[in-house]
Short mmCIF file of all heavy atoms in Angstrom, two decimals:
data_model
loop_
_atom_site.label_atom_id
_atom_site.label_comp_id
_atom_site.label_asym_id
_atom_site.label_seq_id
_atom_site.Cartn_x
_atom_site.Cartn_y
_atom_site.Cartn_z
N ASP A 1 17.41 -0.68 -7.53
CA ASP A 1 17.89 0.52 -6.84
C ASP A 1 17.48 1.74 -7.65
O ASP A 1 17.86 1.88 -8.82
CB ASP A 1 19.41 0.47 -6.70
CG ASP A 1 19.95 1.57 -5.79
OD1 ASP A 1 19.34 2.66 -5.75
OD2 ASP A 1 20.97 1.33 -5.12
N LEU A 2 16.70 2.65 -7.03
CA LEU A 2 16.21 3.84 -7.70
C LEU A 2 16.87 5.11 -7.13
O LEU A 2 16.30 6.19 -7.24
CB LEU A 2 14.68 3.95 -7.59
CG LEU A 2 13.87 2.79 -8.12
CD1 LEU A 2 12.40 2.99 -7.88
CD2 LEU A 2 14.14 2.60 -9.63
N GLY A 3 18.01 4.96 -6.52
CA GLY A 3 18.69 6.12 -5.92
C GLY A 3 18.26 6.33 -4.49
O GLY A 3 18.77 5.71 -3.57
N THR A 4 17.26 7.19 -4.28
CA THR A 4 16.78 7.47 -2.93
C THR A 4 15.82 6.42 -2.44
O THR A 4 15.50 6.36 -1.26
CB THR A 4 16.08 8.84 -2.85
OG1 THR A 4 14.97 8.84 -3.76
CG2 THR A 4 17.04 9.96 -3.21
N HIS A 5 15.28 5.58 -3.35
CA HIS A 5 14.30 4.57 -3.04
C HIS A 5 14.72 3.22 -3.62
O HIS A 5 15.61 3.14 -4.44
CB HIS A 5 12.91 4.92 -3.60
CG HIS A 5 12.27 6.08 -2.93
ND1 HIS A 5 12.77 7.37 -3.03
CD2 HIS A 5 11.13 6.18 -2.20
CE1 HIS A 5 12.00 8.20 -2.34
NE2 HIS A 5 11.00 7.50 -1.81
N THR A 6 14.05 2.17 -3.14
CA THR A 6 14.23 0.83 -3.73
C THR A 6 12.88 0.32 -4.16
O THR A 6 11.89 0.45 -3.41
CB THR A 6 14.87 -0.13 -2.71
OG1 THR A 6 16.18 0.35 -2.35
CG2 THR A 6 15.03 -1.53 -3.32
N LEU A 7 12.82 -0.24 -5.34
CA LEU A 7 11.62 -0.88 -5.86
C LEU A 7 11.74 -2.37 -5.54
O LEU A 7 12.73 -3.02 -5.89
CB LEU A 7 11.50 -0.70 -7.36
CG LEU A 7 10.38 -1.47 -8.06
CD1 LEU A 7 9.01 -0.91 -7.68
CD2 LEU A 7 10.56 -1.41 -9.57
N PHE A 8 10.75 -2.90 -4.79
CA PHE A 8 10.70 -4.31 -4.44
C PHE A 8 9.62 -4.99 -5.27
O PHE A 8 8.45 -4.56 -5.24
CB PHE A 8 10.39 -4.49 -2.96
CG PHE A 8 11.46 -3.97 -2.02
CD1 PHE A 8 11.35 -2.70 -1.48
CD2 PHE A 8 12.56 -4.75 -1.71
CE1 PHE A 8 12.33 -2.21 -0.64
CE2 PHE A 8 13.54 -4.26 -0.85
CZ PHE A 8 13.43 -2.98 -0.29
N LEU A 9 9.98 -6.05 -5.99
CA LEU A 9 9.01 -6.87 -6.73
C LEU A 9 8.84 -8.14 -5.88
O LEU A 9 9.83 -8.75 -5.47
CB LEU A 9 9.54 -7.20 -8.11
CG LEU A 9 9.94 -6.00 -8.95
CD1 LEU A 9 10.48 -6.46 -10.31
CD2 LEU A 9 8.80 -5.03 -9.16
N ALA A 10 7.59 -8.53 -5.66
CA ALA A 10 7.35 -9.60 -4.68
C ALA A 10 6.20 -10.50 -5.08
O ALA A 10 5.25 -10.09 -5.77
CB ALA A 10 7.06 -8.99 -3.31
N ASP A 11 6.29 -11.76 -4.66
CA ASP A 11 5.23 -12.75 -4.79
C ASP A 11 4.32 -12.62 -3.58
O ASP A 11 4.78 -12.55 -2.45
CB ASP A 11 5.78 -14.18 -4.86
CG ASP A 11 6.50 -14.45 -6.16
OD1 ASP A 11 5.90 -14.20 -7.22
OD2 ASP A 11 7.65 -14.88 -6.12
N LEU A 12 3.01 -12.63 -3.84
CA LEU A 12 2.03 -12.59 -2.73
C LEU A 12 1.96 -13.95 -2.09
O LEU A 12 1.79 -14.97 -2.78
CB LEU A 12 0.67 -12.17 -3.29
CG LEU A 12 -0.33 -11.63 -2.28
CD1 LEU A 12 0.16 -10.33 -1.68
CD2 LEU A 12 -1.65 -11.38 -2.97
N THR A 13 2.06 -14.03 -0.77
CA THR A 13 2.01 -15.31 -0.08
C THR A 13 0.79 -15.45 0.81
O THR A 13 0.43 -16.57 1.19
CB THR A 13 3.29 -15.47 0.80
OG1 THR A 13 3.36 -14.40 1.74
CG2 THR A 13 4.56 -15.50 -0.05
N ASP A 14 0.15 -14.35 1.16
CA ASP A 14 -1.02 -14.39 2.03
C ASP A 14 -1.79 -13.09 1.83
O ASP A 14 -1.17 -12.05 1.63
CB ASP A 14 -0.58 -14.55 3.48
CG ASP A 14 -1.75 -14.78 4.44
OD1 ASP A 14 -2.85 -15.18 3.98
OD2 ASP A 14 -1.58 -14.57 5.66
N ALA A 15 -3.12 -13.16 1.86
CA ALA A 15 -3.93 -11.97 1.75
C ALA A 15 -5.26 -12.21 2.40
O ALA A 15 -5.84 -13.29 2.29
CB ALA A 15 -4.12 -11.61 0.27
N LYS A 16 -5.73 -11.20 3.11
CA LYS A 16 -7.02 -11.33 3.81
C LYS A 16 -7.72 -9.99 3.89
O LYS A 16 -7.10 -8.99 4.21
CB LYS A 16 -6.79 -11.89 5.22
CG LYS A 16 -8.06 -12.21 5.97
CD LYS A 16 -7.77 -12.89 7.29
CE LYS A 16 -9.08 -13.25 8.00
NZ LYS A 16 -8.86 -13.90 9.28
N VAL A 17 -9.04 -10.01 3.63
CA VAL A 17 -9.86 -8.82 3.79
C VAL A 17 -10.34 -8.78 5.25
O VAL A 17 -10.82 -9.78 5.77
CB VAL A 17 -11.07 -8.85 2.82
CG1 VAL A 17 -12.02 -7.69 3.11
CG2 VAL A 17 -10.61 -8.83 1.37
N LEU A 18 -10.20 -7.59 5.87
CA LEU A 18 -10.60 -7.45 7.27
C LEU A 18 -11.89 -6.69 7.44
O LEU A 18 -12.68 -7.02 8.34
CB LEU A 18 -9.48 -6.76 8.05
CG LEU A 18 -8.11 -7.45 8.02
CD1 LEU A 18 -7.07 -6.61 8.75
CD2 LEU A 18 -8.19 -8.83 8.62
N THR A 19 -12.16 -5.68 6.61
CA THR A 19 -13.40 -4.91 6.70
C THR A 19 -13.80 -4.45 5.30
O THR A 19 -13.00 -4.53 4.35
CB THR A 19 -13.26 -3.65 7.58
OG1 THR A 19 -12.41 -2.68 6.93
CG2 THR A 19 -12.72 -3.97 8.97
N ASP A 20 -15.00 -3.91 5.20
CA ASP A 20 -15.49 -3.37 3.94
C ASP A 20 -15.34 -1.86 3.83
O ASP A 20 -15.79 -1.24 2.89
CB ASP A 20 -16.98 -3.72 3.75
CG ASP A 20 -17.19 -5.22 3.47
OD1 ASP A 20 -16.27 -5.84 2.90
OD2 ASP A 20 -18.24 -5.75 3.86
N VAL A 21 -14.70 -1.25 4.82
CA VAL A 21 -14.51 0.21 4.80
C VAL A 21 -13.57 0.55 3.66
O VAL A 21 -12.58 -0.13 3.40
CB VAL A 21 -13.94 0.71 6.14
CG1 VAL A 21 -13.78 2.22 6.13
CG2 VAL A 21 -14.83 0.26 7.28
N ASP A 22 -13.88 1.64 2.97
CA ASP A 22 -13.07 2.05 1.78
C ASP A 22 -11.62 2.34 2.20
O ASP A 22 -11.32 2.77 3.30
CB ASP A 22 -13.65 3.27 1.13
CG ASP A 22 -14.93 2.99 0.37
OD1 ASP A 22 -15.17 1.81 0.04
OD2 ASP A 22 -15.70 3.93 0.14
N THR A 23 -10.71 2.15 1.23
CA THR A 23 -9.31 2.45 1.44
C THR A 23 -9.10 3.95 1.51
O THR A 23 -9.72 4.70 0.76
CB THR A 23 -8.49 1.86 0.27
OG1 THR A 23 -8.63 0.44 0.25
CG2 THR A 23 -7.00 2.19 0.40
N ALA A 24 -8.25 4.38 2.40
CA ALA A 24 -7.93 5.81 2.53
C ALA A 24 -6.94 6.21 1.46
O ALA A 24 -5.82 5.70 1.43
CB ALA A 24 -7.38 6.12 3.92
N SER A 25 -7.32 7.10 0.57
CA SER A 25 -6.43 7.61 -0.45
C SER A 25 -5.61 8.76 0.14
O SER A 25 -5.91 9.28 1.22
CB SER A 25 -7.19 8.12 -1.67
OG SER A 25 -7.96 9.25 -1.31
N TYR A 26 -4.59 9.18 -0.60
CA TYR A 26 -3.78 10.30 -0.14
C TYR A 26 -4.62 11.57 -0.07
O TYR A 26 -4.50 12.38 0.83
CB TYR A 26 -2.61 10.49 -1.10
CG TYR A 26 -1.45 11.27 -0.54
CD1 TYR A 26 -0.81 10.85 0.63
CD2 TYR A 26 -0.98 12.42 -1.15
CE1 TYR A 26 0.26 11.55 1.18
CE2 TYR A 26 0.09 13.14 -0.62
CZ TYR A 26 0.70 12.69 0.52
OH TYR A 26 1.76 13.40 1.05
N ALA A 27 -5.54 11.74 -1.07
CA ALA A 27 -6.43 12.89 -1.08
C ALA A 27 -7.37 12.87 0.13
O ALA A 27 -7.64 13.89 0.76
CB ALA A 27 -7.22 12.94 -2.38
N TYR A 28 -7.89 11.67 0.43
CA TYR A 28 -8.79 11.53 1.60
C TYR A 28 -8.04 11.88 2.88
O TYR A 28 -8.59 12.53 3.76
CB TYR A 28 -9.35 10.12 1.67
CG TYR A 28 -10.39 9.94 2.77
CD1 TYR A 28 -11.74 10.17 2.52
CD2 TYR A 28 -10.02 9.59 4.05
CE1 TYR A 28 -12.69 10.04 3.50
CE2 TYR A 28 -10.94 9.45 5.06
CZ TYR A 28 -12.27 9.67 4.79
OH TYR A 28 -13.22 9.55 5.79
N TYR A 29 -6.79 11.44 2.99
CA TYR A 29 -5.98 11.76 4.14
C TYR A 29 -5.87 13.26 4.35
O TYR A 29 -6.08 13.77 5.44
CB TYR A 29 -4.59 11.13 3.99
CG TYR A 29 -3.55 11.69 4.93
CD1 TYR A 29 -3.52 11.32 6.28
CD2 TYR A 29 -2.61 12.62 4.49
CE1 TYR A 29 -2.58 11.83 7.15
CE2 TYR A 29 -1.66 13.13 5.36
CZ TYR A 29 -1.65 12.74 6.69
OH TYR A 29 -0.74 13.27 7.54
N HIS A 30 -5.58 13.98 3.28
CA HIS A 30 -5.42 15.42 3.41
C HIS A 30 -6.74 16.15 3.71
O HIS A 30 -6.77 17.14 4.43
CB HIS A 30 -4.78 15.99 2.14
CG HIS A 30 -3.28 15.89 2.15
ND1 HIS A 30 -2.47 16.67 2.93
CD2 HIS A 30 -2.47 15.04 1.49
CE1 HIS A 30 -1.21 16.35 2.74
NE2 HIS A 30 -1.17 15.35 1.88
#
């Protein structure tokens, strides 16, 4: 519990790449 937020720690159970397009950063979004 971080007050206004919650930090979740998790085990990865599944992962898949869908495309090679670069990830959108916050700066790219703006």
